[in-house]
Amino acid sequence: MNILMVASECVPFVKVGGLADVVGTLPKYLKRLGHDVRIILPKYRSIDGKKYDLQPLPYILKVSVGKDIEKFRIKRGVTEDGINVYFIENMRYFNRPGIYGDGNSDYGDNRERYIFFCKAAIEAAKALMFRPDIIHCHDWQTGLIPAYLKTNLKNDGFFWNTSSIFTVHNIAYQGQFGADTVAAAGFSWEDFTTDKLEFHNNVNFMKCGIGMSDAVSTVSPTYALEIKEFNGMGMEIVLNSRTDRIYGILNGIDYDYWNPKTDSCIPANYSKDNLAGKKICKAELQKMCGFDEDEDAYLLGCVSRLDNQKGFDIIIDALYGLRDKKMQFVILGSGDQFIKLQIQQAVSKMPKTVAAFFEYNEPLAHKIYGGCDAYMMPSRFEPCGLSQIIALAYGTIPIVNRTGGLSDTITYYNHFTKEGNGFMFNITYGENFVQTILKSEKIFRDKKNWDALTQNAMNCVFSWDKSVEAYHKMYEDAANKKRHELLFRV
Ligand code: ADP
């Protein structure tokens, strides 16, 4: 199949969260199944054209956004796995310091930026003569593409055979704008109906993606159920109207990249058969944080966007609640300024046991995954979560809230049967993170059990091999349904 991935993030070029990991990894596995996969991304300023050897293609294309005509160029790069990536270059929308905002708030013209991107991706496919069987769109930034295919482009021969797939990575970010978006995006007012573009008298990009694509997926089976039932942030009815076309496919991680045996960012390599290096990683991390280099101190970490979703209120309470214990905490994150302030206060009050780094820092993230004993992830909701899976690969034990993908990947360690790979609590049932950390600490101080738990964690494999089969099946289902619809239409 010809598969066109359209997304606003993709590793190694640009990453804000887990979306980038998925878009950067899934194509490599689809390629192994024999598909021709191409990726379209915005050319943000932060993407280093020289480093990635991006080559301009000989077209100057244009699309309309409201009354403006926007020109753009396409630059082509190739990933290490030989996948073509096409970057949409437009100075007005993408040549700025941030990805979605300036660090304090979202850019005020995000609507125009991603209308432009959706239209440009469609024009780019045509210019490249890449006729996709599948256009796979990710999150709200690309939600208008399925809508264009079902409206303005429904009689366009180029996309006659194209099915659209929309993947929800996080339903909390929906891209909802006023009704005047119909005109700004160049739709017809006839399509401003509840079964198409309209959502409570607005245009909601995510609703367009969910409601008008040929199949919808989200990133874990449990999250797929949750968003239909109670966690859909207003999308429940739309999702339930499409229930036969919703797939919950668990993300994997790239074990070639997240591998403590070969990782060049950590001070010493290790594997489940020889964990000596992990002790060195712990000592180095303690030193870097200004903590005592004490093997017996229980070291807990967190690498995350600073966002309420991630349960930072719960983490901050735990920092204070556990201040008298032999524990140390390290946080790496960027995002919400209020959360940052609260963490800074905790650091200033407990500098010998709490450390924080407020930046996006990939090598430091590796050091934290490698050096910690346990990983804190009390997310209030979590579509899939990659951090806990990465932590498992590094033998760092996740302590999580039972929600979404965390339920699908973490099982409570049972010290009788020695089964399980982490610790869980359930916010909904009033269970307590601090108590769960204390229970995990008991196991930490019981070497035999901790060793068994570490082995269980490192034996877990959430690889793409299995998930890619599920994506492949979803593509085939969507293509078959499309064929059926075409027959019916003729
Ligand atoms: P989300 O997509 O909601 O942000 P995930 O757990 O799915 O959460 O993915 C987060 C990814 O981003 C992980 O790979 C994590 O290591 C990485 N990450 C988050 N914040 C940072 C940071 N400040 N520095 C480096 N990596 C980060």
Side-chain angles (χ1 to χ4, degrees):
M1 282 181 165
N2 283 351
I3 300 167
L4 189 63
M5 294 268 167
V6 189
S8 56
E9 298 174 35
C10 171
V11 290
F13 308 104
V14 50
K15 173 167 165 176
V16 176
L19 161 68
D21 295 282
V22 176
V23 178
T25 315
L26 176 60
K28 154 169 145 181
Y29 286 80
L30 288 167
K31 189 178 176 213
R32 286 183 196 164
L33 293 184
H35 299 299
D36 184 350
V37 193
R38 319 270 177 106
I39 302 171
I40 296 192
L41 293 176
K43 166 71 179 70
Y44 300 108
R45 186 194 287 173
S46 60
I47 299 174
D48 185 339
K50 277 206 184 106
K51 177 173 166 197
Y52 297 114
D53 191 23
L54 305 189
Q55 299 297 332
L57 299 184
Y59 330 104
I60 294 186
L61 302 169
K62 46 190 179 193
V63 293
S64 60
V65 180
K67 292 200 173 71
D68 296 336
I69 301 293
E70 284 298 328
K71 289 190 182 156
F72 67 96
R73 288 203 305 176
I74 306 174
K75 284 191 165 165
R76 177 174 162 272
V78 183
T79 67
E80 279 177 4
D81 311 297
I83 298 195
N84 283 303
V85 186
Y86 301 101
F87 294 87
I88 304 294
E89 185 175 69
N90 171 282
M91 294 300 153
R92 176 173 177 184
Y93 289 131
F94 298 132
N95 186 21
R96 43 181 94 178
I99 305 301
Y100 303 125
D102 59 9
N104 291 316
S105 57
D106 285 351
Y107 289 128
D109 60 350
N110 272 350
R111 173 180 81 166
E112 284 71 19
R113 295 175 80 216
Y114 291 103
I115 289 174
F116 164 75
F117 179 56
C118 290
K119 286 187 149 188
I122 288 166
E123 286 310 309
K126 287 185 171 179
L128 296 162
M129 291 299 289
F130 186 72
R131 202 180 280 267
D133 298 297
I134 300 287
I135 292 192
H136 190 158
C137 305
H138 298 264
D139 270 353
W140 77 263
Q141 293 85 356
T142 59
L144 291 190
I145 292 176
Y148 285 123
L149 292 175
K150 285 271 166 30
T151 57
N152 301 9
L153 298 171
K154 71 173 180 244
N155 293 321
D156 187 320
F158 191 83
F159 295 109
W160 187 249
N161 210 17
T162 302
S163 306
S164 62
I165 305 286
F166 184 73
T167 295
V168 177
H169 293 263
N170 193 335
I171 211 155
Y173 303 96
Q174 300 187 350
Q176 178 161 304
F177 306 99
D180 60 346
T181 304
V182 173
F187 288 112
S188 153
W189 282 102
E190 276 175 22
D191 292 318
F192 191 57
T193 50
T194 48
D195 61 329
K196 292 185 184 159
L197 303 174
E198 198 212 322
F199 188 68
H200 304 303
N201 211 25
N202 289 308
V203 175
N204 179 307
F205 283 35
M206 176 148 292
K207 186 253 180 173
C208 290
I210 294 173
M212 297 175 83
S213 55
D214 294 297
V216 181
S217 75
T218 186
V219 289
S220 71
T222 299
Y223 193 61
L225 290 176
E226 284 178 2
I227 56 177
K228 276 192 280 183
E229 297 294 325
F230 58 89
N231 225 349
M233 312 223 171
M235 288 292 140
E236 289 84 352
I237 293 176
V238 186
L239 286 158
N240 277 298
S241 71
R242 315 234 44 213
T243 203
D244 59 328
R245 295 200 180 190
I246 297 181
Y247 298 72
I249 306 174
L250 197 66
N251 286 337
I253 59 164
D254 185 347
Y255 285 94
D256 294 337
Y257 180 69
W258 295 110
N259 184 351
K261 212 169 169 177
T262 52
D263 192 331
S264 57
C265 298
I266 56 178
N269 292 116
Y270 61 91
S271 68
K272 63 177 193 257
D273 305 318
N274 182 357
L275 285 158
K278 188 158 175 66
K279 287 190 181 167
I280 300 172
C281 292
K282 179 171 175 177
E284 288 292 321
L285 183 60
Q286 287 172 321
K287 202 192 300 177
M288 188 190 299
C289 295
F291 300 159
D292 291 342
E293 280 174 53
D294 180 353
E295 216 184 296
D296 289 335
Y298 187 34
L299 178 54
L300 296 100
C302 173
V303 178
S304 175
R305 288 183 293 117
L306 300 183
D307 189 287
N308 290 332
Q309 173 201 340
K310 302 290 179 181
F312 274 100
D313 52 330
I314 301 170
I315 293 182
I316 292 161
D317 280 351
L319 301 179
Y320 290 102
L322 296 164
R323 66 189 303 173
D324 298 329
K325 304 287 169 191
K326 203 174 167 108
M327 295 188 193
Q328 300 167 335
F329 301 90
V330 49
I331 295 169
L332 166 63
S334 57
D336 188 292
Q337 295 300 314
F338 183 61
I339 297 175
K340 178 177 170 183
L341 198 69
Q342 288 175 302
I343 299 173
Q344 275 171 330
Q345 277 171 358
V347 173
S348 66
K349 288 184 182 141
M350 300 170 276
K352 288 300 284 175
T353 54
V354 180
F357 303 89
F358 300 108
E359 58 186 320
Y360 187 91
N361 186 331
E362 189 81 16
L364 180 54
H366 289 238
K367 290 182 179 62
I368 292 177
Y369 288 120
C372 286
D373 299 304
Y375 190 83
M376 302 180 285
M377 204 159 170
S379 306
R380 294 194 174 271
F381 66 92
E382 193 58 75
C384 175
L386 295 176
S387 302
Q388 83 282 11
I389 303 179
I390 298 169
L392 289 170
Y394 284 74
T396 299
I397 306 304
I399 306 172
V400 306
N401 177 34
R402 185 186 292 276
T403 183
L406 298 174
S407 311
D408 293 323
T409 50
I410 304 303
T411 46
Y412 204 101
Y413 180 70
N414 179 326
H415 59 280
F416 295 112
T417 62
K418 305 221 174 336
E419 285 167 345
N421 60 6
F423 298 91
M424 284 180 126
F425 68 110
N426 194 327
I427 297 177
T428 321
Y429 296 157
E431 288 170 5
N432 186 301
F433 188 46
V434 168
Q435 291 306 322
T436 314
I437 293 181
L438 288 170
K439 283 184 202 160
S440 73
E441 189 206 9
K442 264 196 184 152
I443 302 291
F444 171 72
R445 305 214 176 278
D446 170 354
K447 189 169 170 0
K448 259 198 187 154
N449 267 306
W450 193 256
D451 286 350
L453 173 54
T454 306
Q455 290 299 317
N456 293 353
M458 295 183 84
N459 279 330
C460 289
V461 181
F462 294 98
S463 84
W464 276 100
D465 290 311
K466 207 167 129 204
S467 305
V468 76
E469 297 286 347
Y471 275 103
H472 175 76
K473 181 172 178 310
M474 173 172 64
Y475 295 160
E476 298 237 294
D477 288 352
N480 285 337
K481 282 194 176 129
K482 175 91 187 181
R483 259 174 241 132
H484 199 80
E485 279 168 14
L486 284 177
L487 276 176
F488 193 64
R489 205 170 140 186
V490 172

